[in-house]
Amino acid sequence: MSEGTDKHGPSEEAILTALRNIQDPDLHRDIVSLGFVKDVNICGGNVALKIVLTTPACPVRDQMQRQAVELVSALPGVENVNVEMAADVRAHSPTRGPRPVEGVRNIIAVASNKGGVGKSTVSVNLAVALAKHGARVGLLDADITGPNIPTMVGLKAGHQANIGLSPVERFGVKVASIGFVLKPGLAVIWRGPMIGSGVRQLLHDLPWAEDGDLDYLIIDLPPGTSDAPMSMAQEAPIAGVVIVTTPQSVSLEDAAKAVMMFEKLDVPVFGVIENMSYFLCPHCGQRTDIFGHGGARAAADELGLEFLGEIPLDAAVREGSDEGVPVVERDPDSPVAQVFMAISERIAAQASVQRFSQDAALA
């Protein structure tokens, strides 16, 4: 690991011992035993090393870097410390089940059992948020009969009708939707085997990894327990599902049904997001719980799931969707964009925990 050690500098062993004090908050182990510390280089009092995390969206990335610098700097003989932060997203690799999607390391599905909860808006903004963290991200619109992702990313329906479907890069995300090849006003009237065939082609026939592997493929599922979600679970190894709901009791009941469906399909559920959680007046700052508040958190607790966060009802989110520029891209410093960024970090952490749990089970 060490490229050179001067007798007046610290030993590599001392450096690694110091770094064992840094714990990964999600994996609950120190970064040395996890194998995150790479390329330790010692030249006199100068120390350089690299910490390779499991996701570029790690919420404690900067904290770990500061801790590493402080711990190594405190060692006798150390004069300068350079800690480079990097990430290598591990691939979800189940030992059985559907065949992997070539070039995709982790598939994360966004689902609900009820329409109108803002699931597609959440999917788009989460994908852009992960890309802004530095991840390689794809976004698949799996709502075969009602695709609306094209509008949300500023692409006209049917713009690939004459050339064939392929992913298009928007805001650092590779996006694909059957809406790209449907001319305006043309409806898709498919059921059963036709839906399954369409899902299969979207997953396995598109060149997702043409420019390198994707760390995450976000799949926007249609609402309900219909053919598309079931086909998706049968056609691809999904690392985990994110359930989107609103605070009303009727939405929460439907969210519980969605959780039950994925459990029966043996697909892990990463957690629950409460969308349209509250309204913050842009003029007076007063908060109003238009649809109630806190129900999703209570439902997550009852179901034994992670509560991933609450997204406020904000006109900027709707405007971004209508204009084809997601709010995370349009106004990245806004409070609602920062909420999406934080939720994307929690989802990435869940994917990392899932991967390490697989390794532990196989050990």
Side-chain angles (χ1 to χ4, degrees):
M1 185 180 288
S2 176
E3 295 181 7
T5 303
D6 188 281
K7 63 180 180 179
H8 301 297
S11 68
E12 181 176 319
E13 182 181 357
I15 292 170
L16 295 178
T17 298
L19 293 176
R20 288 184 187 276
N21 290 293
I22 303 177
Q23 293 270 326
D24 185 286
D26 298 302
L27 301 174
H28 307 295
R29 287 170 56 191
D30 69 88
I31 62 172
V32 176
S33 65
L34 286 168
F36 290 178
V37 180
K38 309 285 186 182
D39 303 336
V40 177
N41 192 309
I42 306 164
C43 184
N46 300 310
V47 177
L49 60 95
K50 182 185 292 186
I51 298 176
V52 182
L53 304 174
T54 57
T55 174
C58 177
V60 294
R61 175 191 179 103
D62 294 339
Q63 178 185 328
M64 280 188 179
Q65 186 178 38
R66 287 194 300 270
Q67 281 184 281
V69 171
E70 291 171 0
L71 288 166
V72 177
S73 295
L75 294 174
V78 174
E79 298 174 1
N80 299 294
V81 181
N82 178 45
V83 177
E84 178 187 350
M85 302 300 290
D88 181 18
V89 177
R90 314 287 178 88
H92 174 66
S93 55
T95 56
R96 57 186 177 84
R99 67 185 174 103
V101 177
E102 185 176 351
V104 176
R105 296 181 180 180
N106 295 277
I107 296 175
I108 300 171
V110 181
S112 69
N113 198 46
K114 178 179 173 59
V117 300
K119 176 182 49 58
S120 296
T121 302
V122 170
S123 298
V124 171
N125 280 284
L126 288 179
V128 177
L130 285 168
K132 283 189 173 297
H133 278 300
R136 296 182 295 274
V137 186
L139 173 63
L140 172 59
D141 184 355
D143 195 343
I144 304 292
T145 58
N148 52 21
I149 293 295
T151 300
M152 293 184 175
V153 297
L155 294 170
K156 293 182 179 179
H159 77 281
Q160 291 182 335
N162 298 321
I163 60 174
L165 181 61
S166 64
V168 178
E169 185 159 327
R170 296 290 290 167
F171 317 116
V173 176
K174 284 189 171 184
V175 186
S177 170
I178 198 171
F180 291 174
V181 293
L182 294 179
K183 294 182 179 179
L186 182 64
V188 176
I189 308 173
W190 289 357
R191 288 292 295 171
M194 296 183 70
I195 290 285
S197 177
V199 166
R200 186 181 310 112
Q201 291 181 58
L202 289 171
L203 283 168
H204 295 292
D205 293 352
L206 294 181
W208 291 110
E210 193 170 37
D211 302 318
D213 287 0
L214 295 180
D215 296 320
Y216 307 102
L217 175 61
I218 305 297
I219 299 181
D220 178 33
L221 293 175
T225 55
S226 61
D227 297 314
M230 288 187 286
S231 296
M232 190 66 64
Q234 294 166 350
E235 291 294 338
I238 300 175
V241 177
V242 175
I243 304 295
V244 179
T245 185
T246 53
Q248 307 104 306
S249 58
V250 63
S251 294
L252 298 172
E253 291 171 5
D254 283 324
K257 293 176 184 176
V259 170
M260 290 177 62
M261 178 189 73
F262 287 109
E263 287 178 346
K264 289 182 178 179
L265 293 171
D266 200 25
V267 175
V269 177
F270 281 168
V272 180
I273 295 172
E274 183 171 276
N275 194 27
M276 307 182 212
S277 181
Y278 57 88
F279 174 70
L280 200 63
C281 178
H283 306 294
C284 67
Q286 181 176 347
R287 172 173 169 156
T288 304
D289 297 335
I290 295 177
F291 301 115
H293 178 258
R297 183 188 293 274
D301 290 343
E302 185 176 336
L303 294 166
L305 298 173
E306 181 91 5
F307 180 65
L308 297 169
E310 50 189 35
I311 302 168
L313 184 64
D314 193 315
V317 177
R318 190 271 307 163
E319 291 165 1
S321 296
D322 289 348
E323 295 171 6
V325 184
V327 69
V328 173
E329 178 71 23
R330 187 171 180 256
D331 192 3
D333 295 324
S334 65
V336 67
Q338 290 303 305
V339 169
F340 278 116
M341 293 294 286
I343 292 175
S344 73
E345 292 171 354
R346 296 184 190 112
I347 292 171
Q350 288 286 326
S352 295
V353 171
Q354 175 74 14
R355 178 66 177 87
F356 272 83
S357 297
Q358 288 176 347
D359 288 346
L362 294 173

